[in-house]
Amino acid sequence: MKRYAFCLALSFFLSATGVSAAEQAEDSRKEGEVTFNRLLDKLTSDYEKGLQAPAQTSPADPAGPDLEDRYWITAKAADKYERTKLLEAGLSIEEIRPDSVSGVIHKNSLPLLSEKGFVVESRKTLAQYVREDMKDFPAADSAYSNYRESADILKNLAAKNQDIASLFSLGKTIEGREMWTLRINTSAKGETPSAKPGAFYVGTHHAREHLATEVPLLFAVWLMDNRNAPEIKKYIDTLDIYITPMLNPDGVEYDISTGKYRMHRKNARTNADKTVGVDLNRNYDSWWCTAGSSSYPGSDTYCGTAPFSEPETQAVKKFVEARKNLKTLMSYHSFSNLILYPWGGKDGPVENERDRRVFAKMGGEMAALTGYTPELSSDLYVATGDTCDWAYATSGIFAFTTELEGGSFYPGSGIIAGSVRKNVKAAVYMLSVSGDPYRVLN
Ligand code: 0X9
Ligand code: ZN
């Protein structure tokens, strides 16, 4: 089928029958069973409860000294080159405007900014930022899944769909948590290899980007709900699908464990200087620890002591290298409404002309389905050591980063349902091309 015709069919399916097909099937489900629409309903009602409970949404005390040591700053930056330099100075860039950016920086890195001539327009400690700017706090965000809840949903899906789904772990984190992965394949189970073309969805490299767990997790639920719909069944029958909603469970739990958000981005590694965490999206072996990455352990963009020094990135390496059948990868982050594709660590697109066209085409289609903007990663800023550059460079995988919406790390649970619905469409599109991504050029 021609791409255009396929997209029309897909969007008709999702809007007219697809997403709502689960609603129609809902009545026949047993009470207590986890389904996509029940989860979305719960999210909506939890959000409403949260809004009605001022004690839960009103500002709380900051989470301790950790938030006093780091700043939310706005600095002048006119282009991607200046943004890259700011990343190298240890700023994690979270908001980009035409001539400035905002993000998080450790107090020890602030002198470096002035040494390098950067103009800091405003700054406040994260404790102040939490008090003044955050819309929500963990109690009111109970709709988001913590480690145990996300694991329970995946276990439930695997148990209820044993003929096509299985659960395994990519490996253990530093604190011994599992990186649970739902595999959907009609013949192979667990870690057994498969010759079918593969698609890999991975969430939450960055701890505080909690929406990036919900999207792949609820996509897994949606897929299982719709497993018998012909438009979906054909992908389930022919592909090898992997969904790891929470790659960084230690970081996630560290971020929420005090009952107040800690704005933690990295994993839970205790560094030599006692600071916490390595930026997992700077730890892959792709021009490691050069542009857009910091070698200062306290920095939010700290690259670690070596490429793949961390169990989480090691696990992805082992997983990807053992599966030559993988064709596509989606890594979920938040919050800039973007669909990004390589290169990210080098200033320019991938060299192979055919691949470049596939990236642009797939990025454009997924952007149209989500309402996000497609962009070459390095046009945002050059940052080395990310997942997608590595996956494409070493295995030729068409690897994308989705920067979900939200406008903040903690946009509240009201954002989840809408974000999941639009990203399910893009995720299904990725399935539709995973058989042979080069077909998008026909
Ligand atoms: O900087 C990152 O790791 C990602 N943004 S986030 O705000 N979620 O931290 C974007 C990665 C895009 N990749 C490159 N530009 N290399
Ligand atoms: Zn991120």
Side-chain angles (χ1 to χ4, degrees), residues 66-67 69-75 86-87 89-95 101-107 109-110 113 122 124-127 129-130 134 208-209 262-266 294 298-302 335 409-410:
D66 199 34
L67 293 187
D69 286 348
R70 289 175 298 150
Y71 284 81
W72 177 265
I73 67 161
T74 297
L86 281 167
L87 290 170
L91 179 73
S92 74
I93 295 177
E94 309 301 342
E95 289 173 8
V101 296
S102 300
V104 178
I105 192 159
H106 194 274
K107 63 176 185 200
S109 298
L110 276 172
L113 288 193
S122 68
K124 54 178 93 164
T125 63
L126 283 188
Y129 176 77
V130 164
M134 273 173 38
R208 62 196 171 203
E209 297 167 12
R262 274 170 146 155
M263 305 206 77
H264 188 70
R265 170 179 167 100
K266 302 183 285 179
S294 166
S299 151
D300 260 9
T301 53
Y302 175 47
F335 54 90
F409 301 125
Y410 307 113

Side-chain angles (χ1 to χ4, degrees), residues 292-342:
S293 182
S294 166
S295 50
Y296 167 58
S299 151
D300 260 9
T301 53
Y302 175 47
C303 55
T305 51
F308 294 116
S309 56
E310 304 311 295
E312 296 86 355
T313 49
Q314 256 307 322
V316 173
K317 177 182 192 298
K318 201 171 123 230
F319 169 76
V320 168
E321 286 178 353
R323 284 167 188 76
K324 301 292 175 215
N325 60 326
L326 292 177
K327 304 281 183 221
T328 55
L329 182 157
M330 178 59 77
S331 178
Y332 293 99
H333 287 253
S334 70
F335 54 90
S336 307
N337 306 58
L338 296 170
I339 307 284
L340 300 168
Y341 49 87

